[in-house]
Amino acid sequence: MNSVFPIGLSRRFHQLASLPYFYRLSGPLALWLAVPGALLAAYSVFAGLFLVPPDYQQGDAFRILYIHVPSAWLSLFGYTSMAIAGVVALVWRLKLAEIYIVAAAPVGASFTLVALVTGSIWGKPMWGAWWVWDARLTSELILLFLYLGIVALHRAIETPRTAARACALLAVVGVINVPIIHYSVVWWHTLHQGATVQLTGQSHMETNMLVPLLLGALGFTLVYGWLVLWGMRVQLLWRERRSRWVARMLTDD
């Protein structure tokens, strides 16, 4: 029976699922993500803090959004990608999907923490308090607990594959919180402002403010990819440390 995919594309998927092939590919790819990601993120933060004009309503307090918005975006993107990897790990039992979840969890937790802290810094002058039990903030805090739960679950179970599958299950179940976070400002009365940047429709920002923010979101995303790839490489070497290909690679080096 002929494959649904072209032969070349099918071979490429099989190569990506190969642990030695992924390890060789991920090293150079991580560096290609790191350099432009760091440059774009640095430019965005610098432009947000020093170059763009003050907001006509929020004044200089809005500048923290150049860190907050990309971090909040990655908190949702990271967990959603982990849930997708969780489905792949549970259904097709691919080791790379399991490794991705384990490597992405601490990175996603870090960006979620940054989003919460910068949101509190922004909220103090806007709301008069560092923290309120707002629907958006509360659901984002639950997301941080889900990330930390996956990290703790992986460390609590000694068998790597059993731990990874348990983490995959938690990632899939917990993803229900992602649309709750995204639509919380629509579904409930909330102090948190609505979306400033629209994927469809007109964004509520001037172009000179919007462009650095979008470049920052791209840069932060590339940095996320770099950190996750390096984390996957570490997890991969640890899990496969007794395999022949790791021994052969260490011998060759």
Side-chain angles (χ1 to χ4, degrees), residues 27-39:
L29 179 58
L31 294 178
W32 278 102
L33 295 177
V35 175
L39 291 176

Side-chain angles (χ1 to χ4, degrees), residues 117-162:
V117 171
T118 54
S120 296
I121 295 173
W122 172 78
K124 177 61 176 177
M126 296 298 103
W127 305 334
W130 293 104
W131 181 268
V132 293
W133 291 102
D134 176 84
R136 172 64 64 83
L137 271 67
T138 303
S139 53
E140 185 77 6
L141 180 62
I142 293 173
L143 183 65
L144 176 61
F145 291 152
L146 286 169
Y147 272 120
L148 295 178
I150 291 175
V151 174
L153 188 61
H154 177 255
R155 294 183 178 181
I157 302 175
E158 294 184 0
T159 307
R161 297 221 68 177
T162 303

